[in-house]
Amino acid sequence: MADLRKRNLDLDSEDDKSLGNKVDLSNTIPSGTDKAPELLDATLSSLPPRWRNWVIRGIFTWIMIFGFALVIYAGPLALMLVVLAVQVKCFAEIINIGYAVYKIHGLPWFRSLSWYFLITSNYFFYGESLVDYFGVVDNRTEFLRALVKYHRFISFSLYIGGFVWFVLSLVKRYYMKQFSLFAWTHVALLIVVTQSYLIIRNIFQGLIWFIVPVSMIVCNDVMAYMFGFFFGRTPLIKLSPKKTWEGFIGGGFATVIFGLLISYVLCQYPFFVCPIEFNEELGRMTLDCEPSPLFRPQEYTVPASFAPVVRMVTGKNTVMIIPFLLHSLSMSVFSSVIGPFGGFFASGFKRAFKIKDFGDIIPGHGGIMDRFDCQYLMATFVNVYISSFIRTDSPQKLLQQIYSLKPELQLELFTALRDSLTTRGILQLPAP
């Protein structure tokens, strides 16, 4: 009796009595892997389950690929809106699992708080992007100028408002669960919002920095599935029993080849390689520029050990290569070797709560998060890669920062720059 009384005291709330030591959400979170529209399901009913899933998965993979191509055709703004929509759906799927795990009933405002923090985070991160890339536009009106100047203070104030709101909503018998969900919400924000922010920043560097990495992950996922389906014999990792070494290796080689091919094709078009910048004369975003040397063939001297072979083929010790292809090779290796670990992480997360998928919105695949688990890891890598090896100071961005200054400061900067250029002999002023 004493032990039972002690156990009851240890429970944080009445809901814990039914929670037990194990969490099984298999009947709570819907699964989309085996789900299909009724007409398609009836048409494929005669197939064995394995082949039925293969066909359904293939059909909706192609639908998503064509949808992805259509969004790219629609332009960068449509692409950013889709990224935002995907982010919101991924956040919803992760948060719904948290609600199901902790089984909170009747707590005021808690769902509203989670979404409030999502909106606050997006205001901060997306605002940072707009200030960085479109500061000259934002400073045209007094209202926008104030938002730019006090953006971080406003963001911080919004977050503090949510923090105070959370503290005031605490209920004594639910302390542990409320703080657990508070942490759950912030981890979800870290995984989803910050990564989508990095994706947006990659897009601003040029659509190629978005299309190529995303396509590599898609290719690796599809080809690993195909190689594993037809040739898989050797299990790869216990977290994901269906993954095989044959699929992992086959998908890796296919991704490297695909990455080089798609990179070569995209490098031929300024629409894909030009950074997104605001054109002051046209008054809108543009993707028109003179492609940088990164996307044009350059002559490289080959190492001495390979020189005889190259000389036999080309007659000289040099080769013409588009530099971006070398960067593409780095990204394809990452997407093939490290990228799948995003999927393994998600598999471990799902196995911890005994669920098959994050949702059922995509027949044959599961939830949105099931398809984007590796994409977020790849987005971070690409952003870090650009910052470390690619990005240089952009004259357009510097000009935007100068335009945001007050007129007297712009004049002072102009005078100082003119005097410096004249002193160094770079600028020759006409004789008075």
Side-chain angles (χ1 to χ4, degrees):
M1 182 66 69
D3 291 340
L4 181 60
R5 188 180 298 111
K6 182 178 183 301
R7 181 175 178 274
N8 288 334
L9 289 174
D10 288 338
L11 295 175
D12 188 56
S13 73
E14 291 299 317
D15 295 326
D16 285 323
K17 295 179 180 179
S18 61
L19 186 62
N21 295 323
K22 296 183 179 180
V23 178
D24 187 349
L25 305 181
S26 56
N27 296 322
T28 306
I29 305 298
S31 172
T33 303
D34 301 319
K35 179 184 176 181
E38 291 184 11
L39 180 60
L40 183 60
D41 193 43
T43 305
L44 303 175
S45 59
S46 60
L47 293 177
R50 185 167 180 260
W51 281 99
R52 174 183 170 277
N53 180 262
W54 188 86
V55 173
I56 295 173
R57 192 181 180 96
I59 291 173
F60 282 91
T61 294
W62 280 109
I63 290 175
M64 287 189 287
I65 291 174
F66 282 122
F68 178 60
L70 187 64
V71 172
I72 292 173
Y73 178 78
L77 181 59
L79 205 54
M80 293 177 195
L81 292 176
V82 169
V83 170
L84 180 60
V86 167
Q87 174 218 109
V88 171
K89 182 58 180 173
C90 288
F91 181 81
E93 290 177 352
I94 296 174
I95 287 299
N96 285 338
I97 294 174
Y99 292 141
V101 169
Y102 293 104
K103 297 181 180 179
I104 290 186
H105 305 294
L107 281 183
W109 304 116
F110 213 90
R111 283 183 180 270
S112 301
L113 266 172
S114 296
W115 289 100
Y116 174 84
F117 281 122
L118 176 68
I119 294 171
T120 300
S121 301
N122 275 302
Y123 175 81
F124 171 72
F125 284 115
Y126 281 79
E128 288 285 300
S129 294
L130 293 177
V131 170
D132 284 346
Y133 292 97
F134 303 108
V136 63
V137 185
D138 300 336
N139 279 278
R140 285 180 172 176
T141 63
E142 192 66 33
F143 173 71
L144 291 178
R145 190 180 299 118
L147 288 180
V148 169
K149 183 176 181 180
Y150 302 110
H151 171 69
R152 294 191 176 183
F153 181 78
I154 294 172
S155 301
F156 178 74
S157 299
L158 289 172
Y159 179 82
I160 288 299
F163 181 81
V164 173
W165 184 4
F166 165 73
V167 173
L168 294 177
S169 70
L170 288 171
V171 178
K172 184 177 181 179
R173 62 190 298 209
Y174 290 108
Y175 284 163
M176 182 62 72
K177 289 187 175 184
Q178 286 183 281
F179 277 102
S180 297
L181 266 177
F182 183 78
W184 189 290
T185 299
H186 281 68
V187 171
L189 293 174
L190 176 65
I191 294 174
V192 176
V193 178
T194 56
Q195 307 306 311
S196 63
Y197 164 71
L198 295 180
I199 291 176
I200 296 297
R201 294 192 71 87
N202 296 344
I203 292 174
F204 276 114
Q205 296 300 315
L207 292 179
I208 196 169
W209 291 105
F210 172 79
I211 297 171
V212 169
V214 168
S215 300
M216 285 177 176
I217 291 294
V218 172
C219 175
N220 184 259
D221 188 47
V222 171
M223 297 310 296
Y225 176 78
M226 296 291 287
F227 276 94
F229 186 88
F230 290 105
F231 308 109
R233 296 290 183 274
T234 313
L236 175 63
I237 188 170
K238 291 182 179 180
L239 280 174
S240 191
K242 292 184 180 180
K243 305 291 184 183
T244 63
W245 275 104
E246 290 81 3
F248 182 78
I249 296 172
F253 278 110
T255 302
V256 171
I257 296 172
F258 171 81
L260 292 174
L261 291 175
I262 192 174
S263 297
Y264 177 80
V265 172
L266 295 184
C267 283
Q268 313 305 312
Y269 301 95
F271 176 79
F272 296 111
V273 303
C274 290
I276 301 173
E277 294 178 339
F278 183 81
N279 189 301
E280 185 74 11
E281 296 179 358
L282 299 177
R284 59 180 174 84
M285 292 187 299
T286 61
L287 287 166
D288 187 22
C289 69
E290 182 68 26
S292 73
L294 180 66
F295 305 105
R296 291 181 293 185
Q298 306 292 324
E299 192 171 33
Y300 289 90
T301 302
V302 298
S305 55
F306 296 101
V309 178
V310 174
R311 196 181 304 113
M312 289 175 57
V313 178
T314 64
K316 51 185 180 180
N317 295 336
T318 60
V319 293
M320 297 294 291
I321 300 177
I322 299 176
F324 183 79
L325 297 185
L326 301 177
H327 298 297
S328 173
L329 188 62
S330 301
M331 289 189 288
S332 62
V333 171
F334 182 90
S335 64
S336 302
V337 178
I338 306 299
F341 280 85
F344 300 153
F345 176 86
S347 295
F349 183 87
K350 289 182 287 187
R351 287 173 71 85
F353 299 108
K354 296 181 173 59
I355 57 176
K356 194 170 185 179
D357 301 307
F358 283 95
D360 63 349
I361 193 171
I362 310 174
H365 292 267
I368 295 292
M369 193 65 196
D370 289 288
R371 290 278 59 84
F372 284 84
D373 45 14
C374 300
Q375 295 288 3
Y376 286 130
L377 194 63
M378 187 70 184
T380 305
F381 170 75
V382 172
N383 188 267
V384 171
Y385 190 88
I386 292 174
S387 300
S388 302
F389 304 109
I390 305 296
R391 183 177 293 155
T392 57
D393 292 333
S394 168
Q396 179 68 19
K397 187 173 181 180
L398 291 175
L399 282 174
Q400 288 183 5
Q401 293 173 342
I402 293 172
Y403 291 149
S404 66
L405 298 174
K406 294 180 179 180
E408 55 270 22
L409 292 178
Q410 293 183 25
L411 186 59
E412 182 180 339
L413 179 62
F414 167 76
T415 304
L417 182 60
R418 182 196 61 191
D419 294 343
S420 175
L421 293 174
T422 304
T423 302
R424 289 181 287 165
I426 300 175
L427 178 66
Q428 299 294 329
L429 295 178

